[in-house]
Amino acid sequence: GNIAAIGITNQRETTVVWDKRTGKPVYNAIVWQSRQTVDICEALKARGLDPEVRYKTGLLIDAYFSGTKIKWILDNVPGAQADAFAGNLLFGTIDTWILWNLTEERTHATDYTNASRTMLYNIRELDWDDELLTAFDIPKSMLPKVMDSSGVYGHAKKEILGIEDVPVSGIAGDQQAALFGQGCFAEGMAKNTYGTGCFMLMNTGSEAVASQNGLLTTIAWGLKGEVKYALEGSIFVAGSAVKWMRDTVQLFNDAAETEAHALSLDSNEGVYVVPAFVGLGTPYWDSEVRGAIFGLTRGSSRSHLIRATLESVAYQTKDVLDVMERDSGIELKALRVDGGMVRNNFLMQFQSDMLGAKVERPVVQETTALGAAYLAGLAVGYWKDEADIATNWQLDRSFSPQMPEDEAARLYHGWQKAVEAARVFKP
């Protein structure tokens, strides 16, 4: 077997609770998008826990994170609470569940990045937080050991791989793995992933920067017992707005057509789309607002709607980046990008124009998988260090600002007015 090591990366926050005696989950996994724990969140907020959670974990009290999902399972599955306190149940995010099932050693562990998304982990002390565990009524015995993102967690079972002694030696949550895969090792480097939604992370080095603007403070990765922190902003709707235009409104057959439509116009001609299908994320955190289209005239065509939708992704990214620069005090030089939408050259050029910064698209766009591979390979000496990995990063194309600054400012101001107007309309 020529496999040097295995790395694991996962959608973060998704929660599994299982019985360590049988290895069987006591309930279905509760995925990160699930809102079934909203009531638990409201109760925690009513107890005034928000400032404590924010300071210790870097997160907001929200159904998105694992803590309330664990609590829901313990509260709602008959006998689960008693079993948990008797030490029979284990909790894991998906990385931990895979690790426990994959390794000879039955390792019950996670890495710093996944731990930092549970709402139970103190990202400053680097330990599970006893006060929060008491507030949530979750026993510490359930929780995995937290380890470096790069290091040997265990060895894959021979009956699974067909070869012996392959180390599992890298774990990171998907967005952090992408930051690592993009080679954003220096403070102030940032990446944006353009998928269904967008996730932007900026490396803030050894400082956990507290956000004044609704960004999350999270762990970027932990290597050799030292962690680097990141600021994270989330945009709920990006690629899914293009999918909506294709499948629901049926404006085109293939997302690749959107670039030609956008380029057939010289500008948006005053048309703005606010794709708030599920509310707006950073920095607005408004879950009531809904989608809207502004500035239509008799001459507005399919191409205007398509262009305005693509532009909305760039405006939202600027919304997030502006507050990131404000919170961190770091001015962004270049944004590294990945995800399905980055193949759209119109969007990438417009993004650079809006940010007034370089946008860099790498050759390898599967940066999440790449990051997990790098972390695994580092642990077994396949790569020497971060500098060795950084030389691997290859540029496909760089986009630099071409639009006059006053024009970019005028367009962005129009977006801000559109968002404001959409937030006023609440049926």
Side-chain angles (χ1 to χ4, degrees):
N2 54 358
I3 301 175
I6 294 173
I8 297 174
T9 180
N10 56 299
Q11 286 188 341
R12 307 164 302 173
E13 299 98 11
T14 296
T15 295
V16 186
V17 173
W18 70 96
D19 190 318
K20 67 180 183 194
R21 297 163 299 187
T22 63
K24 294 217 169 9
V26 300
Y27 192 75
N28 290 345
I30 301 182
V31 297
W32 62 276
Q33 298 106 317
S34 167
R35 306 301 294 168
Q36 73 196 59
T37 61
V38 166
D39 295 347
I40 296 175
C41 293
E42 292 310 316
L44 293 168
K45 285 181 197 165
R47 285 162 59 187
L49 281 171
D50 209 31
E52 183 184 350
V53 166
R54 213 176 274 231
Y55 177 76
K56 289 175 167 179
T57 70
L59 310 173
L60 318 159
I61 292 181
D62 193 274
Y64 178 20
F65 308 109
S66 318
T68 60
K69 300 178 194 295
I70 304 172
K71 182 168 172 52
W72 190 95
I73 291 173
L74 297 189
D75 289 352
N76 289 281
V77 173
Q81 190 82 29
D83 259 344
F85 278 89
N88 296 325
L89 301 189
L90 299 178
F91 151 74
T93 38
I94 295 297
D95 55 305
T96 303
W97 170 243
I98 291 173
L99 188 69
W100 196 80
N101 284 291
L102 179 62
T103 50
E104 256 338 317
E105 299 88 343
R106 282 244 183 261
T107 308
H108 184 228
T110 190
D111 88 301
Y112 290 113
T113 70
N114 278 294
S116 77
R117 312 297 292 190
T118 57
M119 222 156 75
L120 303 170
Y121 190 73
N122 190 317
I123 63 171
R124 295 162 198 281
E125 316 268 319
L126 300 184
D127 205 356
W128 297 112
D129 194 277
D130 290 323
E131 290 167 352
L132 290 176
L133 289 173
T134 303
F136 281 70
D137 218 9
I138 294 170
K140 206 173 196 168
S141 58
M142 287 183 79
L143 304 177
K145 181 180 170 194
V146 182
M147 295 168 65
D148 277 346
S149 309
S150 179
V152 177
Y153 289 81
H155 296 80
K157 292 176 186 168
K158 187 180 179 205
E159 66 266 28
I160 293 178
L161 277 196
I163 43 179
E164 276 183 283
D165 284 339
V166 178
V168 180
S169 56
I171 294 181
D174 54 5
Q175 301 307 327
Q176 284 94 335
L179 189 68
F180 201 82
Q182 283 277 30
C184 293
F185 302 136
E187 192 176 316
M189 288 183 79
K191 71 92 194 168
N192 194 22
T193 299
Y194 296 77
T196 305
C198 289
F199 285 95
M200 194 188 304
L201 274 74
M202 177 189 270
N203 182 336
T204 61
S206 47
E207 193 194 346
V209 175
S211 172
Q212 309 304 314
N213 296 289
L215 295 169
L216 305 176
T217 305
T218 199
I219 295 180
W221 49 75
L223 300 173
K224 301 192 177 80
E226 262 186 49
V227 303
K228 294 276 187 263
Y229 294 95
L231 280 170
E232 175 174 324
S234 29
I235 295 166
F236 297 150
V237 172
S240 56
V242 176
K243 202 167 179 280
W244 169 76
M245 283 194 300
R246 185 192 67 197
D247 301 342
T248 311
V249 195
Q250 300 179 338
L251 295 182
F252 49 84
N253 294 317
D254 185 341
E257 298 166 37
T258 58
E259 190 174 331
H261 276 289
L263 290 170
S264 71
L265 304 171
D266 291 332
S267 80
N268 63 18
E269 293 174 13
V271 178
Y272 287 88
V273 170
V274 180
F277 300 147
V278 289
L280 289 168
T282 315
Y284 310 101
W285 295 107
D286 183 341
S287 56
E288 311 279 291
V289 59
R290 288 296 168 261
I293 301 170
F294 294 103
L296 295 176
T297 63
R298 182 71 184 78
S300 303
S301 69
R302 171 167 68 152
S303 297
H304 289 88
L305 291 179
I306 291 170
R307 179 170 176 135
T309 302
L310 291 175
E311 286 187 358
S312 76
V313 175
Y315 297 136
Q316 290 182 94
T317 300
K318 180 172 167 61
D319 287 340
V320 173
L321 195 78
D322 283 358
V323 296
M324 230 171 230
E325 291 187 328
R326 230 176 313 168
D327 279 339
S328 66
I330 301 167
E331 193 187 347
L332 184 85
K333 315 268 180 299
L335 180 66
R336 292 190 166 179
V337 299
D338 53 68
M341 292 187 87
V342 302
R343 290 191 291 273
N344 190 307
N345 293 322
F346 165 77
L347 175 61
M348 293 299 101
Q349 181 55 54
F350 191 78
Q351 186 67 83
S352 174
D353 289 334
M354 277 306 111
L355 299 179
K358 267 204 192 122
V359 168
E360 299 178 334
R361 180 173 67 195
V363 173
V364 178
Q365 286 158 25
E366 291 296 336
T367 54
T368 298
L370 196 58
Y374 284 156
L375 289 166
L378 264 182
V380 298
Y382 192 91
W383 287 284
K384 201 161 78 247
D385 50 24
E386 288 177 13
D388 188 13
I389 289 172
T391 60
N392 261 341
W393 190 88
Q394 284 178 309
L395 182 72
D396 168 50
R397 183 168 166 189
S398 176
F399 298 84
S400 297
Q402 289 172 359
M403 188 183 283
E405 274 180 36
D406 57 343
E407 170 71 359
R410 189 184 64 76
L411 286 168
Y412 183 61
H413 182 63
W415 161 256
Q416 290 173 306
K417 288 202 307 206
V419 169
E420 210 178 310
R423 292 181 75 184
V424 171
F425 176 81
K426 285 175 185 168

